[in-house]
Amino acid sequence: VKTHCPFYDRWSKMIKRCYSVKYHEQRPTYKGGSVCEQWRSFMAFRAWMEIQSWEECQMDKDILFEGNKIYSPETCVFVPASLNSFFIDSGATRGDHPIGVHKVNKRYKALIWNPFSGKREHLGYFDTPEESHEAWRKRQHELACIYADQQTDQRIANALRTRFAPEVSND
């Protein structure tokens, strides 16, 4: 009888995402990822995972630090699948337009997926892709703040509140 070890399962998938050439051929966005020296030891990774709230969650390496490619105790958190997918920008499949932007004839439609209602929201038509994306970003920030208010881990809450916030200029 085989037994399933959830700790080893997570660890081996992390190693595969970072170092498998075959995996990178199928999912090129994972190229360039690495695992910190400490976590190359399964037992060290397991010790960290055992003190996390990981049940029914996915491990994420770039929620706390946007664009992060290193798996480590400082950069990784466990989050529900719905929150993890909230951050996915689908860059590899969405084409040339910014996230949330769909070209319709000569205009640009802004759409967003609302994880709380489970429905897609139409945010309007705009003359430029930048205006359309800005409408998406504003709504995404509002939704991120709702998610942030639900978090017990303040690192995740802070990342949610700042990720889609408007850029502050020093003019």
Side-chain angles (χ1 to χ4, degrees):
V1 176
K2 284 187 176 181
T3 58
H4 174 73
C5 176
F7 304 105
Y8 185 78
D9 183 52
R10 302 290 175 89
W11 180 80
S12 64
K13 286 179 181 172
M14 172 184 67
I15 297 295
K16 182 179 181 179
R17 282 192 298 266
C18 291
Y19 303 113
S20 168
V21 173
K22 188 174 182 178
Y23 191 84
H24 293 163
E25 288 171 2
Q26 297 168 346
R27 295 176 183 84
T29 57
Y30 283 95
K31 284 182 182 176
S34 64
V35 177
C36 73
E37 190 66 35
Q38 176 187 4
W39 277 8
R40 292 184 189 174
S41 159
F42 166 65
M43 292 309 291
F45 175 80
R46 180 183 177 133
W48 173 82
M49 188 172 159
E50 286 176 327
I51 60 172
Q52 306 303 308
S53 186
W54 60 269
E55 292 87 352
E56 298 181 30
C57 288
Q58 297 176 344
M59 187 172 73
D60 188 275
K61 69 178 175 349
D62 55 8
I63 284 178
L64 299 181
F65 303 99
E66 186 173 6
N68 177 57
K69 294 270 194 182
I70 302 168
Y71 288 87
S72 73
E74 297 78 29
T75 60
C76 291
V77 290
F78 282 96
V79 295
S82 61
L83 180 54
N84 200 15
S85 65
F86 183 74
F87 284 94
I88 295 173
D89 80 356
S90 304
T93 59
R94 76 172 185 284
D96 295 334
H97 298 300
I99 189 167
V101 177
H102 303 270
K103 187 162 185 170
V104 179
N105 297 323
K106 294 182 180 184
R107 301 205 66 204
Y108 299 90
K109 179 169 58 172
L111 293 170
I112 194 164
W113 176 258
N114 183 323
F116 303 105
S117 69
K119 295 180 180 178
R120 192 176 343 186
E121 294 179 8
H122 178 265
L123 304 174
Y125 288 94
F126 301 88
D127 293 328
T128 68
E130 294 79 15
E131 292 170 324
S132 184
H133 175 71
E134 180 59 13
W136 173 89
R137 190 215 43 83
K138 284 180 182 177
R139 182 63 178 140
Q140 186 80 344
H141 183 249
E142 291 169 0
L143 296 169
C145 288
I146 294 169
Y147 258 133
D149 291 341
Q150 299 173 352
Q151 301 305 306
T152 56
D153 185 329
Q154 285 308 301
R155 299 171 306 154
I156 297 171
N158 291 340
L160 282 159
R161 287 190 184 98
T162 59
R163 178 68 58 93
F164 305 103
E167 301 264 333
V168 177
S169 65
N170 295 328
D171 294 340

